[in-house]
Amino acid sequence: MKLGAPHRWTAVLSGEVRRTLSTRLWWLLLIPVVLLALAMSLFGSLITLLVPAATDTSAILMLTGLASALSMTAIIGAAFGALLAAGEYRHRTITLAFLTGSRIQVLGGKVVVAAVVAAAYGLVVAVLGPLLGGAVLGGQQLPTWGQLAGLGAVGVLVCALWGVLGVAVGTLVPNQPGAVSLTVGYLLIGENVVSAALQAGGSPSGDPSVFARITPFLPGNAGDLALYEAPVSAAGTDARTVLEFLAGVSAPPPGWVALLVLAAWAVAGVALAVVVGGRRDIT
């Protein structure tokens, strides 16, 4: 696939931004993101108040609720990326898009736009969630600013990477409903089934089997692993067991390794989309 003229990269990206802002897709998906942030923070904090000794655990539960909200937001970011790429084929506008630059330039523009929009979704949740949760918890013990900022930064990065993966899926599966169903269905159901199958059985010694040790390196689990590391680390004792339960993995690596794994999946997905999208006939 040709890279195209260097000066066209900026023009293609500018055109992609204008196409995105001229549609309702990005802000329509922002609505469930905001509702998700508010609902999880509000109800999570209310439940925290009902737990005995809430003062001792409220900070950990609040971080866990925020990590869960960011995990769900990453799915919405992935759906946006899939809609952004596959929508061009559904509405037959991909031909016009390719007139503005080479195919790899158009794909690159969509990758950047999807990453930025999905990261913005994560930022909204990272800001609104703790604000409302802190207001509800009132005088309870709250996480530190450093803990919230660290988890928020990881969440923004995870959402951005899933936006990129969504574009890759939308390019590989040009059928728009199919691309969205595949992305969301895999993250909500498919990967859980795969993880359960890999963890079935176990080794005679009781240690995770070779197959179970693969689970942290699946894309959805890698993102969850990076997100849940902060609240689990704040909990202290038996951190590894709790992290395995929350992320659904065995023998989890450090969170930064999980982020690199998810980034590798995003790079591999885009590379495959470049090859497949570059060879597809456009009518």
Side-chain angles (χ1 to χ4, degrees):
M1 179 180 287
K2 295 181 180 179
L3 290 177
H7 69 279
R8 295 300 303 169
W9 280 92
T10 304
V12 171
L13 178 59
S14 177
E16 193 62 43
V17 172
R18 291 179 180 178
R19 275 203 298 275
T20 301
L21 294 179
S22 66
T23 64
R24 294 173 292 181
L25 175 62
W26 69 274
W27 63 262
L28 282 177
L29 287 179
L30 184 61
I31 295 175
V33 169
V34 173
L35 293 178
L36 178 67
L38 298 181
M40 294 199 73
S41 297
L42 178 62
F43 290 109
S45 299
L46 288 175
I47 291 174
T48 300
L49 291 176
L50 301 177
V51 176
T55 302
D56 298 331
T57 60
S58 57
I60 299 170
L61 292 176
M62 185 175 174
L63 286 172
T64 305
L66 179 58
S68 299
L70 287 168
S71 178
M72 294 298 295
T73 305
I75 298 176
I76 298 175
F80 172 80
L83 286 167
L84 184 68
E88 296 277 18
Y89 294 94
R90 178 185 181 184
H91 300 292
R92 300 183 183 280
T93 55
I94 191 65
T95 306
L96 294 175
F98 286 154
L99 291 177
T100 63
S102 68
R103 294 192 181 196
I104 196 171
Q105 287 175 334
V106 173
L107 178 61
K110 293 186 182 303
V111 164
V112 172
V113 170
V116 171
V117 173
Y121 292 163
L123 183 60
V124 169
V125 172
V127 173
L128 288 184
L131 285 178
L132 184 61
V136 173
L137 285 172
Q140 302 293 325
Q141 182 177 344
L142 301 177
T144 65
W145 286 107
Q147 289 175 319
L148 291 173
L151 178 55
V154 172
V156 168
L157 184 55
V158 169
C159 289
L161 290 172
W162 268 111
V164 173
L165 275 166
V167 171
V169 174
T171 304
L172 296 170
V173 184
N175 180 280
Q176 193 176 43
V180 177
S181 300
L182 178 63
T183 304
V184 177
Y186 174 77
L187 284 172
L188 289 178
I189 302 174
E191 189 158 304
N192 292 326
V193 174
V194 174
S195 296
L198 290 172
Q199 291 173 317
S203 65
S205 63
D207 294 329
S209 66
V210 175
F211 296 109
R213 292 178 183 275
I214 298 175
T215 52
F217 299 96
L218 298 174
N221 287 345
D224 286 346
L225 190 54
L227 288 170
Y228 285 117
E229 186 182 55
V232 170
S233 297
T237 57
D238 297 330
R240 179 168 171 167
T241 303
V242 177
L243 185 59
E244 288 179 339
F245 171 75
L246 290 174
V249 302
S250 298
W256 65 269
V257 175
L259 278 177
L260 289 179
V261 169
L262 183 57
W265 275 103
V267 171
V270 172
L272 186 60
V274 167
V275 175
V276 175
R279 296 178 177 178
R280 179 177 291 130
D281 290 334
I282 303 297
T283 57

